[in-house]
């Protein structure tokens, strides 16, 4: 198992859009997919879901493709956000002053992003 990387996924496969069409069936599910866990592939998940729900064979490929695409898009967005955050990782200046009984205290420091 790799590091946990949870991705919220909303799957919807309309059987009418499949080839051959299956207008009587629709697959919908919402789940958290751990992209860091390689013990279950999108194809394995899709095959198992289609089998458990007695869906026609074209559903498994469509479910796997939708799941794979959503996970890839979410991971790409997460990498872009991390890159943007790293680029904006300038230290923040923090200063304070205190006056008490005629005594003046002050300090200034540079606080690193991420609290380290």
């Amino acid at each position: 198992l790799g590091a946990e990387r949870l991705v919220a996924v909303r799957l919807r496969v309309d059987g009418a859009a499949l080839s051959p069409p299956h207008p009587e069936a629709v697959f919908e599910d919402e789940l958290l997919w751990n992209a860091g866990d390689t013990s279950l592939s999108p194809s394995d998940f899709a095959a198992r879901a289609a089998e458990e729900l007695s869906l026609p064979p074209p559903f498994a490929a469509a479910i796997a493709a939708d799941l794979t695409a959503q996970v890839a898009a979410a991971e790409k967005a997460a990498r872009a956000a991390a890159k943007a955050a790293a680029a904006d990782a300038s230290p923040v200046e923090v200063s304070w002053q205190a006056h008490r009984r005629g005594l003046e205290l002050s300090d200034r420091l540079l606080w690193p992003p991420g609290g380290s």
Side-chain angles (χ1 to χ4, degrees), residues 17 20 27 44 59-60 62 64 69 84 108 111:
F27 173 83
D44 292 339
F59 272 86
R108 184 183 136 231
W111 188 270

Side-chain angles (χ1 to χ4, degrees), residues 42-85:
S43 295
D44 292 339
F45 169 81
R48 191 173 299 165
E51 181 182 334
E52 288 176 3
L53 297 171
S54 301
L55 294 170
F59 272 86
I63 293 167
D66 192 16
L67 177 56
T68 300
Q70 287 189 48
V71 169
E75 292 211 302
K76 182 178 179 181
R79 283 191 302 275
K83 185 176 179 181

Side-chain angles (χ1 to χ4, degrees), residues 87-101:
D88 190 31
S90 332
V92 176
E93 183 177 319
V94 178
S95 60
W96 61 271
Q97 292 182 333
H99 302 276
R100 178 86 176 165
R101 296 184 186 171

Side-chain angles (χ1 to χ4, degrees), residues 8 34 89:
N34 184 357

